[in-house]
Amino acid sequence: MEIVDLSTLPDSETRYTEFLRQICEKHDMDHAAYAGMNPAAGTVAGFVTYDDAWTEHYQNQGLIMVDPTIHMARRSIAPVDWSRLERSPDFQRVFRDASDFGLPNQGVTIPVRGPYGDIGLLSATRKCSKDEWRKLFTHVISDLQSMAVHIHDNVVSSDELTNVLYHPTLSTREAEILQWVAAGKSQQDIGDILSISHRTVEVHLRSSREKLSALTTPQAVGRAIAIGLITPS
Amino acid sequence: MEIVDLSTLPDSETRYTEFLRQICEKHDMDHAAYAGMNPAAGTVAGFVTYDDAWTEHYQNQGLIMVDPTIHMARRSIAPVDWSRLERSPDFQRVFRDASDFGLPNQGVTIPVRGPYGDIGLLSATRKCSKDEWRKLFTHVISDLQSMAVHIHDNVVSSDELTNVLYHPTLSTREAEILQWVAAGKSQQDIGDILSISHRTVEVHLRSSREKLSALTTPQAVGRAIAIGLITPS
DNA sequence: GTCAAAATACGGGAATCCCCCAATAGAAAA
DNA sequence: TTTTCTATTGGGGGATTCCCGTATTTTGAC
């Protein structure tokens, strides 16, 4: 059981879709889907093996806003088995629609998070009975988790837009000062700590804001944390 | 190959250590270690199968600050094979010490992140040749990833301190206003947007700071983002 | 080697935020 | 029903931040 190394494949959207198809074949799944988001960069990437009809319907109806699989997985550490969502009212909405399009009723969504606030969701589905699903699930879940990490790692690494926004490098002093701001210190405090004028502290903060394209210091702190330039405290 | 359900075991530190031992047995590893951190809450949890001698040395020497496995894994999405770190100067420092204590030289560290900025690192080590390690690695990595998710999920769920700090619930208005602050708006702007007085905006911000135990608004924004109450923008 | 750009440092003055206070109305909990 | 919590608005004044300008040092590119 070898893991396909995504980074060796030609760089394009199709390779990810192809990768999803391979997952389906390997694990007896009907469909697979990946969605990656980077809140800080505001980027979203998605690859699916679904028919275009369902994809369009899903987008047109804005089902992403109510899809309980996404809601749950975004807040979970462990994989989310869709059968645990059946009581959700939104579940009815989305899955009745999906059923109309002939889509499977059993599935799982696996969340994967990166260090910069980015999150990827890998879903795999299959039309079968609950018992069948349970067996299949326990059998393939750990490999699916591995695949989820693999695809998210590759998407994030190859996403040029993300990479650009990943590296608004702050100077040593700027990062240092922003870190103190995130720790709740005032400019005067920081000046005392670093033995420089609070005026100077403000200058570094200003250039930090500019580099992060932030209008205010709170926004700059939020972005810096989201992209890993500083840590919350 | 059944996954031990940690949540059914008695609640104590020993069950995690025992779980690590089971992982070692199952996958032919010499040692395993887990470290969980919650930057926002400032909590750290650790469980190891190492001897006390090494654990003490590690802490006394402050090796956690230079340990390249931790540095890398904290910034990685995928598992980090220690053999990829051999060129790091810090690697020499830590691994020479480890070798003196008779510890293995091959290993892997797997990062797992939760939705609230929390991160868990599961490491597994074995004394063997590079070739042996490579075989073992590819064979067990996906199950180890599964285990890493399992243990981190359980630690986070059962960590009462974390749970308390996980739920400084902001009211709708507070979260709404803090979100606008994170988006770079001034108090006056937000008042105009929400059609309320900028005084009111300031009151909500103050109570947000109190609930988050933050000294300043930038700190509050940082924490709110770190624990998932708002999203960066 | 020179020159431009960035990093670092400091100050004045205006704008903003933050803290103290008080007060009303509605909703939820006791 | 009473009490508590939330949401709302307001004033005054000190503290802080932010925008303007200037200057020295360091870095990097040609």
Side-chain angles (χ1 to χ4, degrees), chain A residues 58 62-72 90 94-95:
Chain A
Y58 189 88
L63 293 182
I64 196 173
M65 298 303 296
V66 297
D67 192 334
T69 66
I70 292 183
H71 265 88
M72 281 296 291
D90 287 329
V94 176
F95 279 74

mmCIF file of all heavy atoms in Angstrom, chain A residues 58 62-72 90 94-95:
data_model
loop_
_atom_site.group_PDB
_atom_site.id
_atom_site.type_symbol
_atom_site.label_atom_id
_atom_site.label_comp_id
_atom_site.label_asym_id
_atom_site.label_seq_id
_atom_site.Cartn_x
_atom_site.Cartn_y
_atom_site.Cartn_z
ATOM 1 N N TYR A 58 -25.107 22.490 -5.214
ATOM 2 C CA TYR A 58 -24.551 22.746 -3.883
ATOM 3 C C TYR A 58 -24.156 24.209 -3.736
ATOM 4 O O TYR A 58 -24.456 24.862 -2.730
ATOM 5 C CB TYR A 58 -23.331 21.850 -3.670
ATOM 6 C CG TYR A 58 -22.760 21.831 -2.275
ATOM 7 C CD1 TYR A 58 -23.232 20.947 -1.308
ATOM 8 C CD2 TYR A 58 -21.714 22.685 -1.914
ATOM 9 C CE1 TYR A 58 -22.689 20.914 -0.038
ATOM 10 C CE2 TYR A 58 -21.168 22.657 -0.645
ATOM 11 C CZ TYR A 58 -21.651 21.773 0.298
ATOM 12 O OH TYR A 58 -21.118 21.746 1.554
ATOM 13 N N GLY A 62 -26.251 27.474 -1.880
ATOM 14 C CA GLY A 62 -25.493 27.915 -0.710
ATOM 15 C C GLY A 62 -25.470 26.883 0.395
ATOM 16 O O GLY A 62 -25.480 27.212 1.575
ATOM 17 N N LEU A 63 -25.424 25.624 -0.009
ATOM 18 C CA LEU A 63 -25.480 24.548 0.984
ATOM 19 C C LEU A 63 -24.241 24.530 1.866
ATOM 20 O O LEU A 63 -24.267 23.995 2.968
ATOM 21 C CB LEU A 63 -25.649 23.190 0.285
ATOM 22 C CG LEU A 63 -26.991 22.990 -0.418
ATOM 23 C CD1 LEU A 63 -27.077 21.598 -1.024
ATOM 24 C CD2 LEU A 63 -28.146 23.200 0.554
ATOM 25 N N ILE A 64 -23.173 25.140 1.391
ATOM 26 C CA ILE A 64 -21.951 25.142 2.195
ATOM 27 C C ILE A 64 -22.168 25.851 3.522
ATOM 28 O O ILE A 64 -21.496 25.578 4.515
ATOM 29 C CB ILE A 64 -20.790 25.808 1.411
ATOM 30 C CG1 ILE A 64 -19.451 25.459 2.059
ATOM 31 C CG2 ILE A 64 -20.971 27.315 1.344
ATOM 32 C CD1 ILE A 64 -18.252 25.916 1.271
ATOM 33 N N MET A 65 -23.136 26.762 3.522
ATOM 34 C CA MET A 65 -23.405 27.502 4.756
ATOM 35 C C MET A 65 -24.124 26.666 5.807
ATOM 36 O O MET A 65 -24.066 26.970 6.992
ATOM 37 C CB MET A 65 -24.237 28.752 4.441
ATOM 38 C CG MET A 65 -23.548 29.738 3.512
ATOM 39 S SD MET A 65 -21.948 30.277 4.166
ATOM 40 C CE MET A 65 -22.470 31.126 5.656
ATOM 41 N N VAL A 66 -24.854 25.660 5.361
ATOM 42 C CA VAL A 66 -25.631 24.862 6.321
ATOM 43 C C VAL A 66 -25.133 23.423 6.430
ATOM 44 O O VAL A 66 -25.560 22.686 7.320
ATOM 45 C CB VAL A 66 -27.134 24.827 5.943
ATOM 46 C CG1 VAL A 66 -27.714 26.230 6.006
ATOM 47 C CG2 VAL A 66 -27.339 24.236 4.564
ATOM 48 N N ASP A 67 -24.220 23.040 5.529
ATOM 49 C CA ASP A 67 -23.728 21.667 5.524
ATOM 50 C C ASP A 67 -23.178 21.272 6.899
ATOM 51 O O ASP A 67 -22.154 21.796 7.343
ATOM 52 C CB ASP A 67 -22.628 21.536 4.466
ATOM 53 C CG ASP A 67 -22.260 20.082 4.187
ATOM 54 O OD1 ASP A 67 -22.448 19.256 5.092
ATOM 55 O OD2 ASP A 67 -21.791 19.791 3.077
ATOM 56 N N PRO A 68 -23.855 20.332 7.578
ATOM 57 C CA PRO A 68 -23.440 19.986 8.937
ATOM 58 C C PRO A 68 -22.098 19.257 8.978
ATOM 59 O O PRO A 68 -21.390 19.318 9.983
ATOM 60 C CB PRO A 68 -24.569 19.069 9.429
ATOM 61 C CG PRO A 68 -25.169 18.494 8.185
ATOM 62 C CD PRO A 68 -25.011 19.538 7.126
ATOM 63 N N THR A 69 -21.737 18.591 7.894
ATOM 64 C CA THR A 69 -20.450 17.893 7.897
ATOM 65 C C THR A 69 -19.310 18.899 8.006
ATOM 66 O O THR A 69 -18.332 18.688 8.717
ATOM 67 C CB THR A 69 -20.259 17.068 6.605
ATOM 68 O OG1 THR A 69 -20.161 17.942 5.483
ATOM 69 C CG2 THR A 69 -21.415 16.117 6.409
ATOM 70 N N ILE A 70 -19.471 20.020 7.325
ATOM 71 C CA ILE A 70 -18.433 21.047 7.382
ATOM 72 C C ILE A 70 -18.418 21.728 8.737
ATOM 73 O O ILE A 70 -17.369 21.940 9.339
ATOM 74 C CB ILE A 70 -18.643 22.073 6.253
ATOM 75 C CG1 ILE A 70 -18.376 21.409 4.904
ATOM 76 C CG2 ILE A 70 -17.751 23.289 6.448
ATOM 77 C CD1 ILE A 70 -18.483 22.330 3.724
ATOM 78 N N HIS A 71 -19.614 22.042 9.229
ATOM 79 C CA HIS A 71 -19.706 22.682 10.537
ATOM 80 C C HIS A 71 -19.016 21.864 11.610
ATOM 81 O O HIS A 71 -18.235 22.379 12.403
ATOM 82 C CB HIS A 71 -21.178 22.894 10.912
ATOM 83 C CG HIS A 71 -21.689 24.246 10.553
ATOM 84 N ND1 HIS A 71 -22.226 24.532 9.319
ATOM 85 C CD2 HIS A 71 -21.712 25.402 11.252
ATOM 86 C CE1 HIS A 71 -22.571 25.811 9.284
ATOM 87 N NE2 HIS A 71 -22.270 26.352 10.438
ATOM 88 N N MET A 72 -19.339 20.583 11.626
ATOM 89 C CA MET A 72 -18.783 19.717 12.662
ATOM 90 C C MET A 72 -17.279 19.541 12.486
ATOM 91 O O MET A 72 -16.506 19.667 13.437
ATOM 92 C CB MET A 72 -19.471 18.346 12.631
ATOM 93 C CG MET A 72 -20.825 18.314 13.282
ATOM 94 S SD MET A 72 -20.710 18.662 15.052
ATOM 95 C CE MET A 72 -19.863 17.182 15.617
ATOM 96 N N ASP A 90 -30.227 20.555 9.811
ATOM 97 C CA ASP A 90 -29.578 20.892 8.542
ATOM 98 C C ASP A 90 -29.197 19.636 7.769
ATOM 99 O O ASP A 90 -29.119 19.654 6.539
ATOM 100 C CB ASP A 90 -28.324 21.736 8.795
ATOM 101 C CG ASP A 90 -28.665 23.142 9.223
ATOM 102 O OD1 ASP A 90 -29.727 23.632 8.782
ATOM 103 O OD2 ASP A 90 -27.895 23.729 9.981
ATOM 104 N N VAL A 94 -29.596 19.080 3.605
ATOM 105 C CA VAL A 94 -28.511 18.800 2.669
ATOM 106 C C VAL A 94 -28.616 17.380 2.113
ATOM 107 O O VAL A 94 -28.462 17.153 0.915
ATOM 108 C CB VAL A 94 -27.144 19.007 3.343
ATOM 109 C CG1 VAL A 94 -26.019 18.619 2.398
ATOM 110 C CG2 VAL A 94 -26.994 20.454 3.794
ATOM 111 N N PHE A 95 -28.918 16.429 3.000
ATOM 112 C CA PHE A 95 -28.856 15.042 2.557
ATOM 113 C C PHE A 95 -30.074 14.606 1.754
ATOM 114 O O PHE A 95 -30.003 13.664 0.983
ATOM 115 C CB PHE A 95 -28.612 14.117 3.760
ATOM 116 C CG PHE A 95 -27.171 14.071 4.153
ATOM 117 C CD1 PHE A 95 -26.579 15.143 4.814
ATOM 118 C CD2 PHE A 95 -26.385 12.985 3.815
ATOM 119 C CE1 PHE A 95 -25.247 15.119 5.150
ATOM 120 C CE2 PHE A 95 -25.049 12.944 4.153
ATOM 121 C CZ PHE A 95 -24.484 14.020 4.824
#
